[in-house]
């Protein structure tokens, strides 16, 4: 039985992915700041991650779903502390979990890492400059790590969803939500279960010749 660690596993896409992987017989360990999860911790806390990694033992799959949106304001109204907070969670948190769990995967010669990026990281969303920049960083991180690990048996890929029906997006400013929904040719937002299907595939043995890639799930918004 394979073991998966899912950050941001308490709700939204992380919770949907946890449920989907369990259907495949995967042992799922969920991490989040709060909520009904196996371990409550901050992904930016290296010491806590190290301790939890030791408790969990062998990990084959890492799903980096933890993330925050940050303020929905024009770029010139953003503050340095807003940037630091979002980048700390969305980028450094992803890096921290990879540092904690990828070495064991490399040692065993098999692993799957799926990082949650966003269409915002490819297109840039107005009044969400911080979030957009953080997800662009996740995309570049994924490409670099995928190339570094390409011969190890550990595959690192990212997904770039358009707007999905999750608690995080329920907190997004209505005008921003309307704008990004209007960009989707299917004229609807995605469902967490639809995203979880893509993640489950990327976390499986069915994927063998793809790494450092970004998989769009956007209702037609992304065509490149």
């Amino acid at each position: 039985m394979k073991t998966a660690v899912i950050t941001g596993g308490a709700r939204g896409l992380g919770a949907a992915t946890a449920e989907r992987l369990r259907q495949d017989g995967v042992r799922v360990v969920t991490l989040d700041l709060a909520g009904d999860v196996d371990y409550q911790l901050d992904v930016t806390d290296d010491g806590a991650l190290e301790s939890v990694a030791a408790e969990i033992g062998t990990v084959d799959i890492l799903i980096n779903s933890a993330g925050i949106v940050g303020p929905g304001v024009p770029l010139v109204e953003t503050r340095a502390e807003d940037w630091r907070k979002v980048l700390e969670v969305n980028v450094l948190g992803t890096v921290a979990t990879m540092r904690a769990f990828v070495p064991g995967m490399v040692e065993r010669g098999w692993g799957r890492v799926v990082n949650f990026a966003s269409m915002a990281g490819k297109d840039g969303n107005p009044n969400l400059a911080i979030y957009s920049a953080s997800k662009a960083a996740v995309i570049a991180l994924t490409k670099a790590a995928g190339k570094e690990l390409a011969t190890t048996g550990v595959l690192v890929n990212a997904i770039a969803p358009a707007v999905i029906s999750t608690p995080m997006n329920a907190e997004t400013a209505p005008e921003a939500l309307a704008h990004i929904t209007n960009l989707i040719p299917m004229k609807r937002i995605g469902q967490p279960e639809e995203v979880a299907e893509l993640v489950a595939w990327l976390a499986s043995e069915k994927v063998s010749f793809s790494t450092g890639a970004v998989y769009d799930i956007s209702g037609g918004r992304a065509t490149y």
Side-chain angles (χ1 to χ4, degrees):
M1 177 185 292
K2 287 185 167 53
T3 296
V5 166
I6 302 180
T7 71
R11 61 180 193 164
L13 297 181
T17 298
E19 183 179 340
R20 178 62 184 80
L21 289 183
R22 290 188 187 105
Q23 292 173 14
D24 284 345
V26 176
R27 172 197 172 215
V28 175
V29 181
T30 52
L31 315 179
D32 213 319
L33 268 178
D36 184 17
V37 290
D38 296 302
Y39 294 94
Q40 292 188 0
L41 60 76
D42 185 337
V43 292
T44 67
D45 185 338
D46 286 332
L49 272 175
E50 186 178 332
S51 176
V52 165
E55 281 190 45
I56 296 172
T58 299
V59 171
D60 309 286
I61 299 163
L62 172 62
I63 312 295
N64 277 307
S65 175
I68 58 176
V69 176
V73 297
L75 171 65
V76 295
E77 295 178 19
T78 61
R79 303 171 303 171
E81 56 261 42
D82 297 327
W83 281 88
R84 291 190 187 98
K85 183 177 180 181
V86 175
L87 292 173
E88 186 83 17
V89 175
N90 294 2
V91 183
L92 298 183
T94 298
V95 172
T97 59
M98 290 177 70
R99 280 201 308 258
F101 297 108
V102 166
M105 298 179 189
V106 171
E107 187 178 324
R108 291 182 296 276
W110 195 95
R112 298 289 183 269
V113 179
V114 182
N115 294 327
F116 279 43
S118 169
M119 285 310 307
K122 299 182 75 173
D123 288 357
N125 286 337
N127 298 321
L128 286 171
I130 304 176
Y131 181 73
S132 299
S134 75
K135 291 304 185 176
V138 170
I139 288 172
L141 163 66
T142 299
K143 291 179 178 182
K147 290 176 179 177
E148 284 183 24
L149 300 170
T151 61
T152 66
V154 180
L155 307 183
V156 185
N157 292 293
I159 63 166
V163 60
I164 308 294
S165 178
T166 65
M168 186 172 77
N169 279 320
E171 297 160 8
T172 302
E175 60 274 14
L177 199 60
H179 169 75
I180 53 184
T181 302
N182 192 52
L183 295 173
I184 300 173
M186 285 188 179
K187 297 303 179 188
R188 70 172 177 88
I189 62 177
Q191 296 302 310
E193 295 76 17
E194 294 176 299
V195 177
E197 282 294 336
L198 176 58
V199 179
W201 177 69
L202 287 170
S204 73
E205 294 183 353
K206 295 176 183 177
V207 178
S208 57
F209 194 54
S210 183
T211 195
V214 183
Y215 289 79
D216 301 322
I217 181 160
S218 68
R221 173 175 168 181
T223 53
Y224 60 92

